[in-house]
Structures are given as C-alpha cells and as structure tokens.
Amino acid sequence: MKLAVLGATGQTGQFLVSQALQQGHDVTALVRNVTKLTIQHKNLKVVEANIFSAEQLSGHFQDQDAVISCLGFPYKIFSAISGYTDSMKAIVAAMRLSRVNRVIAMTSWYTSAESGLHAPFLVRLLLLPLIRSVLTNMNQMENYLEKECSDLSWTVVRPPGLQNVPATDKEFLTHEGYFVPDPNGYPVANSVARGDVARFMLSLLNSNEWIKKGVAMCTK
C-alpha cells in the first residue's frame, strides 16, 4: 500500500516506518525536521510538512491508501495542550481534500478519566496526574473522530506504557475500551514494546475489525 506516516521521527514512528518498508509498502514520511529520520530506502519518501496545515498535508496525501499517525506531544503540568486535536483536524481536512478514507492514530490507555480508576495504585497516584494534559487532549481527539468523522474509516489504537524495544512475535490482546482487562477487570499489563504497537497498527491495514472504534491493545 501507499502510506502517509506522521510522527515518523518519533520512537514508535521509526519502528512503524521500518516495518512498513520491510512489508513492501511505499511510505511517505511527513516530518517537521527531515534530518531526524535517518532511515533510507528506495520506497521511502521523506518530506517536511507543517502537521497543522491541511493545505500542506493534502498535497502529500494525494494517491495514498491510508494515513497513520504516531504523533506525540509533551505534557504540561499547569496548562492544557491541543496538539492532538489540532493536528488531527488538519489531517482529517487534508484527507477529505485528497479523498483518502483510512486513518489509524495512536493514543494511550486511560484516556478516559474514569478508566484511570482501574489503573495500578502507583500509576493512578503518580503517573496519570503528571500526564493528564496529554490524556485529556488524546481523549478530545478520540471524541472528535467519533462524533465528526463518520465519513472516514478511522481507528484509534490505545497502548499501555511504551518500551523502546523492537517487535516481538507475541500474540496481541485487544479490548474495545480504554485498557485491556484481565478476568477480574484489572489491567492485564503495564507496558508494551513500541515495535509491537507499530506491528499492530500495520496489521489493521488488512482488517475491518476495528473500523470506527478505539481499541486498547497489549501483548500476552
């Protein structure tokens, strides 16, 4: 397939670009700084683009089969952030202009505030309050896709804590919700390999199972 990838210079994005190329896809990586992506391949095109500009993005989305976003934005402790919603609104507008229908975006477990009540004690006490600005804006982006993008085939992928390691061959565990529960309703994992998140996102290109849904994932 022909894939437009945003967030390609990030840690998960680099795993995804490498795997996509290994699988034979043609990849257009839209980045803020071309020098940050060191991968080279005959089927990789790296272009500098303003991820908040629908006009700029739409030119690069022409003839693409799908858009994959691994974009991430830093948390702020004393104020809100808007990078996830701002970028997704530009992506969606660009997709409509260039007639691309499929988008896969990465967020996180616990984007809904209520779901965080099920997290382990230390995660609930220390981590979630620290990154609340990120989780809130991720949730706003998810709601935007759900409520205003019924014309698009979108999927939101929610992983737990990200480990900067390559893909494994472990089986995926999935759940339509904000985390993957064990039989007692508690989170079944705390972390996942970034390479496995990339592997899962790419697997969705050949599946309609999670169209217009948010799916929490991890590995066994």
Side-chain angles (χ1 to χ4, degrees), residues 1-165:
M1 291 188 183
K2 293 182 176 179
L3 308 177
V5 179
L6 295 100
T9 59
Q11 292 174 317
T12 306
Q14 291 190 50
F15 282 118
L16 188 136
V17 168
S18 294
Q19 290 179 31
L21 293 167
Q22 287 166 13
Q23 292 173 21
H25 299 296
D26 291 320
V27 177
T28 299
L30 294 101
V31 300
R32 286 166 275 194
N33 183 347
V34 293
T35 61
K36 285 190 174 180
L37 191 63
T38 55
I39 302 165
Q40 293 186 327
H41 194 282
K42 62 181 173 62
N43 294 333
L44 173 63
K45 180 182 175 186
V46 184
V47 294
E48 203 163 292
N50 179 354
I51 56 171
F52 303 111
S53 166
E55 188 179 3
Q56 277 196 31
L57 293 176
S58 63
H60 299 300
F61 286 179
Q62 292 290 341
D63 302 320
Q64 301 292 326
D65 295 305
V67 176
I68 302 180
S69 175
C70 300
L71 287 168
F73 299 90
Y75 65 83
K76 292 182 180 176
I77 296 176
F78 299 112
S79 62
I81 68 167
S82 62
Y84 291 96
T85 39
D86 292 345
S87 59
M88 185 52 70
K89 286 175 181 177
I91 290 166
V92 165
M95 289 175 64
R96 287 170 175 154
L97 284 169
S98 51
R99 292 181 167 79
V100 179
N101 182 256
R102 184 78 173 109
V103 59
I104 300 165
M106 179 179 78
T107 60
S108 172
W109 282 18
Y110 309 128
T111 51
S112 122
E114 304 78 47
S115 65
L117 299 174
H118 299 274
F121 177 73
L122 287 178
V123 172
R124 197 167 69 241
L125 183 73
L126 300 175
L127 179 62
L128 298 187
L130 184 67
I131 62 168
R132 177 52 56 197
S133 60
V134 164
L135 296 174
T136 296
N137 193 223
M138 284 177 168
N139 189 237
Q140 290 165 341
M141 183 188 84
E142 294 169 347
N143 290 336
Y144 166 73
L145 287 168
E146 189 174 346
K147 292 172 182 171
E148 298 187 42
C149 300
S150 58
D151 56 318
L152 300 178
S153 296
W154 57 267
T155 302
V156 167
V157 174
R158 301 182 179 118
L162 297 167
Q163 295 181 319
N164 197 29
V165 292

